[in-house]
Amino acid sequence: MTELLTAPFVVNAFIGGVILAVLLSVLSLFIYLKNWSFINVGISHATFGGLAVGFYLGISPSMFGMLFAVATGLLIGYISRKGQLHEDVSIGILFSMSMAFGVIIITMSPNYNTDLFSFLFGNILTISEADIKILAVFTAGTLAFLWLFFDRIMYCCYNEEVAYTSGINTAFYYYSLITIIAVATVLSVKLVGVILASAMMILPSAVANQIFWHYRSILLFSVVCSVVVVVGGVVVSIYYDLPAGATIVLIYSLLFVLIVGAKRFLGRR
């Protein structure tokens, strides 16, 4: 077991998983504050349409998935801000349309049976050194952006109207966050797949919020907890020969249930 855990592909899985855990747990705070859980689900499912086009053309499914995800996220944000259609309705229409389009396109691709499965459900053990470099650069850039404009972004999350009247360019930070979340969703596909990608952006803050109230504590706990869960999930998946992505999300979900149950039990005493 020790030799297996030190194998190069497993080491890459640990490194990539830790970097991605930090990225998604930080973004989880803003998704929680903005109540963007459903937007995140819509973006992750819309990615499928782009992946299908990439498979069919034989050109970088990840690139097309990213284009679809960003376009869908920006369109959802635009419709929501302009008030032309209720946000939930626009999300439901866009991600359903993208999924349906993806299903039609992917059935026309001769190699979808083997490759598509890994994109739908994820396989962190396939992360390469090139993937880690891309993920590390994007994570560093995202963290730098959030650190530089943290106060303004938090202001927009708590009260966008007041932030706008204070002279803050709320539209810039709004669309920037959606774009970052869309790209992060595509990058997380190799960890947990399209189907479970949104869960890794929702669960960290959902778990942390059950214990802490201050946003700094929520952010710190989310990062630490995500790193531990991802590393633990990879080890468990290897030991019991289980899908890594599903194992990670299941552990996180069970942790959430345990914490909520413990709070209720202790609250009754």
Side-chain angles (χ1 to χ4, degrees), residues 10 32 36 62 72 148 175 223 230 247 267:
V10 177
Y32 170 76
W36 275 357
S62 296
T72 301
L148 287 172
Y175 289 117
V223 171
V230 168
T247 302

Side-chain angles (χ1 to χ4, degrees), residues 26 46 63 75 80 87 90 102 104 130 164 195 213 218 239 241 259:
V26 170
M63 180 184 71
L75 185 56
S80 175
E87 191 175 81
S90 64
I104 293 174
Y164 178 78
I195 295 177
W213 292 97
I218 292 175
Y239 188 81
D241 193 23
I259 292 176

Side-chain angles (χ1 to χ4, degrees), residues 41-71:
V41 173
I43 291 174
S44 65
H45 282 72
T47 304
F48 180 78
L51 295 174
V53 173
F55 273 117
Y56 182 74
L57 298 177
I59 305 174
S60 182
S62 296
M63 180 184 71
F64 280 96
M66 190 174 298
L67 291 175
F68 264 64
V70 172

